Amino acid sequence: MNNTPDYNDNLVFEPKERSKKMKITNENIGKFDKDKGIYCGIFNDKEVWISLHDAPDMMPWSEALEYCEKQGGILPDIDTLSWVFMNKKAINEALEANGGEELDGDYYWSSSENNNYYSWILNLINGNRYNSSKNTYYYVRVFQLLENCFISL
């Protein structure tokens, strides 16, 4: 199976805005919870948790959404997935330390749609975003985004 994206845009990740919403807290990064996975930090005021392993098989976009939901999580949006890429080294260390599978697949689905036929993927080797046909098979990782109980003063 050819996993080269069929894309019409090739963009390197640039955050939409550099603000306090895109902060990371180092406290407890890498913490393991049997129900949530690995704690990755705070992004856009939500706790980001990632499952220990990729889905057993690559799949098209609609199946990826369904798979994540059945696992009790979500398919992350492209900004969350890009943020994880920027923190991949620390996250991979935590995954490995807890018996998980490192984020080392080429292309991962995001929940972000471009239109009815295309959705965004992220290359977790180099951080490039691509707009790809929803029928193409890519890697999937389940995320949980939880409301952060941290209150700014």
Side-chain angles (χ1 to χ4, degrees):
M1 169 180 331
N2 180 359
N3 289 323
T4 303
D6 92 9
Y7 59 89
N8 57 18
D9 287 311
N10 177 6
L11 304 173
V12 175
F13 173 66
E14 288 293 330
K16 291 180 182 174
E17 61 181 72
R18 297 188 188 276
S19 70
K20 68 179 184 173
K21 286 187 172 183
M22 299 190 79
K23 68 187 172 194
I24 181 171
T25 64
N26 291 323
E27 186 177 329
N28 296 321
I29 287 182
K31 175 184 169 185
F32 173 72
D33 180 284
K34 68 180 180 67
D35 296 320
K36 299 176 197 163
I38 298 294
Y39 176 70
C40 300
I42 305 289
F43 178 74
N44 284 343
D45 295 326
K46 296 202 184 227
E47 291 181 7
V48 177
W49 293 81
I50 187 169
S51 64
L52 291 177
H53 301 280
D54 288 341
D57 298 304
M58 292 189 295
M59 58 191 72
W61 186 79
S62 61
E63 289 179 26
L65 288 172
E66 187 177 310
Y67 174 82
C68 290
E69 186 177 313
K70 285 182 179 177
Q71 299 300 312
I74 64 162
L75 190 62
D77 66 25
I78 193 64
D79 289 335
T80 302
L81 198 54
S82 296
W83 175 81
V84 164
F85 170 77
M86 292 188 296
N87 297 285
K88 185 173 91 167
K89 182 178 179 196
I91 292 167
N92 275 344
E93 288 172 2
L95 286 164
E96 184 178 13
N98 288 283
E101 176 183 9
E102 290 186 1
L103 295 167
D104 60 1
D106 288 343
Y107 302 103
Y108 282 80
W109 278 120
S110 81
S111 62
S112 301
E113 293 181 84
N114 187 45
N115 58 38
N116 289 338
Y117 306 102
Y118 287 86
S119 189
W120 289 97
I121 59 170
L122 186 81
N123 183 317
L124 276 172
I125 293 174
N126 61 26
N128 288 339
R129 294 177 174 198
Y130 299 94
N131 195 15
S132 183
S133 167
K134 292 179 178 181
N135 296 322
T136 310
Y137 285 62
Y138 295 117
Y139 291 101
V140 175
R141 185 72 66 119
V142 178
F143 280 64
Q144 290 189 37
L145 301 180
L146 307 175
E147 290 299 321
N148 179 18
C149 59
F150 174 76
I151 299 172
S152 299
L153 300 177

